[in-house]
Amino acid sequence: MLETYGYGGGPAFGPCGSPMLSSRADYMTFLCLSDDVVTGDSNERSDVFILDRSTRQVARISVDSLNQEHRFNSGPGFPSSDGRYVLFNSNGRLDPVLPWDYHDNGIVNVFLRDVDAQTTILVGRDGAGEPHVRGTSFAATMFQQRKLLFASADNLLGGPDINGPFGFDLYLRDWQSGEFELVSGTQDGIQGNCSSGIFGVVSDDGRYIVFSSCASNLTEDNPGQVSNLFLHDRSTGAKRRLTRPWHGGEFTYPGPSFSVDLGARSLAAGRYVTFSSYGTEFVQGVDPDTPFPNVYLLDIHTGTIELVSRSWDDAPAPEGGQRIVMSADGRYLAFTSRSPTILPDPGVTPAIYVKDRRTGEMVNVSASLGPIHPSHAPELDLSDDGSTLAFSWRHADTAAPPYAGRVLIYTVSISGTLIEPPVPEPVPSLSFMVRLGAAVLLLLAGIGWLSQRRRRIH
């Protein structure tokens, strides 16, 4: 189902990307560069939007509290379960608390937009509530607990930056109380001595956080500063290394050529983390010379790592996979692969696949759109309840107008009841009264707080 329409009724000109669904897929945020998603968009930059998938109403998120646009790129965005709040990255000076003169590409920071109150505030701040010149970037959130996990290249604790100006650290901040803590540091509160990744996964109760880092001072078992996944216990401050090679030794390649990128929305079923990596030693049988990444499932309870990007005959897929996401209960997985061997009948490939871990069924869900464009890597998001998969898609240059060459966002129903849209019609920007009316309807409908996650947390 096409989700990104212009206000004139046809598909948006685009390109559009970074879809993120609310917990039950009632709302979806996305970014789009074109000026035809809502009226009054003239900044010629990518903006963040939120779509109510039932009413088809869409609103621009990446504006300041005066509803003024800024000539800087924004995105991606992450919606709360009721669609009222959106956390998003923007390079613009959307909160006057930011003291610097912005020019060229701006400075990326994390902001919180209240759709009902039409306010935008900076939430990516240090422990004293101050912004930093190197900015901040969204990693994950616990909306119900008002906590934001974010990355920064600055040492937000003050003092020397021991992992350098290009090394990232992860921090957790309560945007109401200002409570602040370093996540990717030692038990004594010292920065990691090598960069950490810019994404994380948080458990439902907020106690555990999984993140990637090449630091050797977080635990005693990563002396080679190889990028690995670590588990942080917020109660004790202790860290535990999670990823290890199948042969029981140590990884045989250096950190810079070995990347681990988290793909999970949350710590699924309290134990599962999905990730993609160019590393070839997680499981036996992966070609050590493959130029393709693969996608994996890690069980933090048992320490086992499962290769998800396998061919139908259980051999590692020759062209691997990437962009893996997972439902909150751990049942459904979705990923992309350019390998034609995922299914016995390859059908239309490269493709986006969904796997039901309960039944073992694997389905090509993008077949009706044709093969993945050679120059496009679809961005995926799976709602927490496993009902809906959203993905970006570039149409072939030879496709029929007006789709030819456009990058749009689609959804497919995985389980549950599909939200059917009305007949396509012009989609106006949400006025204040429309927002207010929608908020009242949501209240009467009894939609409560749920959480979100690549990247939404309970």
Side-chain angles (χ1 to χ4, degrees), residues 181-388:
E181 60 190 86
L182 173 66
V183 171
S184 57
T186 69
Q187 195 164 0
D188 298 328
I190 299 172
Q191 285 178 290
N193 58 13
C194 188
S195 182
S196 294
I198 60 172
F199 296 113
V201 174
V202 187
S203 62
D204 287 347
D205 60 5
R207 176 173 176 175
Y208 299 103
I209 299 175
V210 176
F211 65 98
S212 64
S213 179
C214 57
S216 62
N217 62 339
L218 304 183
T219 60
E220 296 180 350
D221 53 1
N222 191 35
Q225 291 195 329
V226 173
S227 181
N228 277 289
L229 294 182
F230 293 87
L231 180 70
H232 170 63
D233 185 339
R234 293 181 58 218
S235 294
T236 65
K239 303 285 191 300
R240 175 162 62 92
R241 178 179 163 182
L242 295 174
T243 42
R244 300 181 185 279
W246 67 269
H247 48 69
E250 188 51 274
F251 294 113
T252 58
Y253 29 76
S257 65
F258 172 71
S259 62
V260 177
D261 300 309
L262 290 168
R265 295 161 55 88
S266 62
L267 198 56
R271 64 189 300 172
Y272 299 114
V273 175
T274 55
F275 66 94
S276 65
S277 179
Y278 283 90
T280 61
E281 296 178 86
F282 294 108
V283 299
Q284 191 172 9
V286 177
D287 182 358
D289 297 319
T290 180
F292 303 103
N294 276 285
V295 289
Y296 300 88
L297 175 69
L298 166 67
D299 185 336
I300 68 168
H301 287 184
T302 64
T304 57
I305 297 177
E306 170 190 338
L307 176 65
V308 176
S309 47
R310 289 187 178 275
S311 301
W312 65 271
D313 61 359
D314 205 39
E319 296 185 46
Q322 55 186 332
R323 301 297 177 98
I324 187 169
V325 290
M326 192 176 200
S327 60
D329 62 0
R331 176 173 179 176
Y332 296 103
L333 291 165
F335 65 98
T336 69
S337 178
R338 297 190 177 275
S339 178
T341 62
I342 301 298
L343 297 174
D345 179 4
V348 180
T349 60
I352 300 171
Y353 298 92
V354 171
K355 180 178 182 179
D356 185 338
R357 296 181 60 239
R358 185 176 300 172
T359 66
E361 183 182 14
M362 183 87 76
V363 178
N364 178 342
V365 297
S366 61
S368 63
L369 292 173
I372 293 174
H373 194 282
S375 67
H376 182 62
E379 298 169 296
L380 314 182
D381 190 49
L382 187 59
S383 58
D384 280 340
D385 64 359
S387 68
T388 307

Side-chain angles (χ1 to χ4, degrees), residues 20-22 27 29 50 77-81 85-86 143 452 456:
M20 294 298 293
L21 294 160
S22 60
Y27 299 89
T29 55
I50 187 168
F78 307 85
S80 62
S81 60
Y85 299 100
V86 178
F143 264 114
Q452 70 144 314
R456 224 156 4 262

Side-chain angles (χ1 to χ4, degrees), residues 112-163:
L112 176 69
R113 177 71 173 176
D114 184 329
V115 178
D116 290 353
Q118 300 187 67
T119 57
T120 302
I121 61 171
L122 176 73
V123 289
R125 306 172 184 236
D126 66 15
E130 298 297 326
H132 278 250
V133 71
R134 291 183 192 163
T136 56
S137 180
F138 179 94
T141 185
M142 295 178 282
F143 264 114
Q144 284 184 308
Q145 301 179 41
R146 306 173 306 279
K147 285 184 169 56
L148 166 71
L149 183 69
F150 66 93
S152 179
D154 261 340
N155 179 0
L156 302 188
L157 301 176
D161 194 344
I162 68 172
N163 55 31

